[in-house]
């Protein structure tokens, strides 16, 4: 009874002083989203470069260099689309782990921010956005992929929870 009274008194004091009573996992953690977007972009770019170097070597030699490969040939490569989706899933997972709460929301926000930044980059370079084939599929699946990464962070974080200080980790008899 005393603890309930003490917590109520503390809450009343905080409210009177202008403090907002918030849960630690409320809201979106900007740092988690930024790191998630960076992980998304890095993982996607590294995996795409590796894929191109290993599996598109013949096309690179046929056209005399990567920069000479027509866009139509690159757009017909479904694994490149899959790599982007997996990169966003990883970015959503990282953001969800860093956020320590609202994991799925953080993963989805990573996907939205990453997509908007991609569109901004494309507009800055080409001045227009044209979507072909697999790019439309990626656009449809990108937000669910980021949210799924956040969900994985929730599920895996739930399975490996650090012990609470002062609470025994082994059963006592």
């Amino acid at each position: 009874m005393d603890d309930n009274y003490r917590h109520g008194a503390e809450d009343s004091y905080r409210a009177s002083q202008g403090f907002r009573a918030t849960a630690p996992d409320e809201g979106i953690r900007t740092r988690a989203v930024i790191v998630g977007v960076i992980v998304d972009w890095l993982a996607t770019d590294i995996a795409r470069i590796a894929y191109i170097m290993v599996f598109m070597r013949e096309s690179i030699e046929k056209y005399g260099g990567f920069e000479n490969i027509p866009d139509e040939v690159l757009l017909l490569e479904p694994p490149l689309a899959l790599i982007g989706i997996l990169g966003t899933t990883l970015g959503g997972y990282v953001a969800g782990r860093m956020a320590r709460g609202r994991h799925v929301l953080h993963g989805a926000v990573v996907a939205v921010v990453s997509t908007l930044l991609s569109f901004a980059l494309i507009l800055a370079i080409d001045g227009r956005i044209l979507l072909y084939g697999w790019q439309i599929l990626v656009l449809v699946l990108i937000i669910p992929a980021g949210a799924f990464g956040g969900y994985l962070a929730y599920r895996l974080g739930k399975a490996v929870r650090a012990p609470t200080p002062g609470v025994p980790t082994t059963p006592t008899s």
Side-chain angles (χ1 to χ4, degrees):
M1 183 80 163
D2 289 333
D3 285 338
N4 289 337
Y5 177 76
R6 185 174 53 90
H7 289 298
E10 288 174 358
D11 291 341
S12 297
Y13 173 75
R14 286 189 184 114
S16 70
Q17 298 300 313
F19 292 109
R20 184 172 161 233
T22 58
D25 60 351
E26 186 177 307
I28 295 175
R29 295 181 185 247
T30 308
R31 184 179 302 162
V33 172
I34 291 171
V35 171
V37 169
I38 291 170
V39 167
D40 174 9
W41 281 49
L42 285 176
T44 300
D45 286 345
I46 290 169
R48 281 185 178 161
I49 290 169
Y51 176 84
I52 288 168
M53 297 305 278
V54 171
F55 294 107
M56 295 188 69
R57 184 176 300 156
E58 295 170 6
S59 294
I60 292 171
E61 292 171 0
K62 177 181 175 183
Y63 291 103
F66 179 75
E67 59 278 349
N68 298 330
I69 297 176
D71 288 338
E72 294 80 24
V73 173
L74 290 176
L75 295 174
L76 294 175
E77 289 290 327
L80 291 177
L82 180 63
I83 288 170
I85 292 170
L86 292 175
T88 301
T89 304
L90 179 63
Y93 173 80
V94 169
R97 289 292 290 209
M98 287 183 66
R100 294 188 220 120
R102 305 185 86 178
H103 304 83
V104 176
L105 176 65
H106 282 83
V109 170
V110 165
V112 168
V113 169
S114 187
T115 302
L116 291 176
L117 287 175
S118 296
F119 282 156
L121 183 64
I122 291 169
L123 282 173
I125 292 172
D126 290 342
R128 62 187 175 159
I129 295 175
L130 299 174
L131 298 174
Y132 300 103
W134 292 103
Q135 292 174 333
I136 295 170
L137 177 66
V138 170
L139 189 61
V140 169
L141 294 178
I142 204 77
I143 294 174
F148 180 68
Y151 176 75
L152 287 176
Y154 166 73
R155 293 296 294 175
L156 295 175
K158 190 175 169 182
V160 185
R161 183 74 61 189
T164 306
V167 176
T169 56
T170 58
T172 57
S173 29

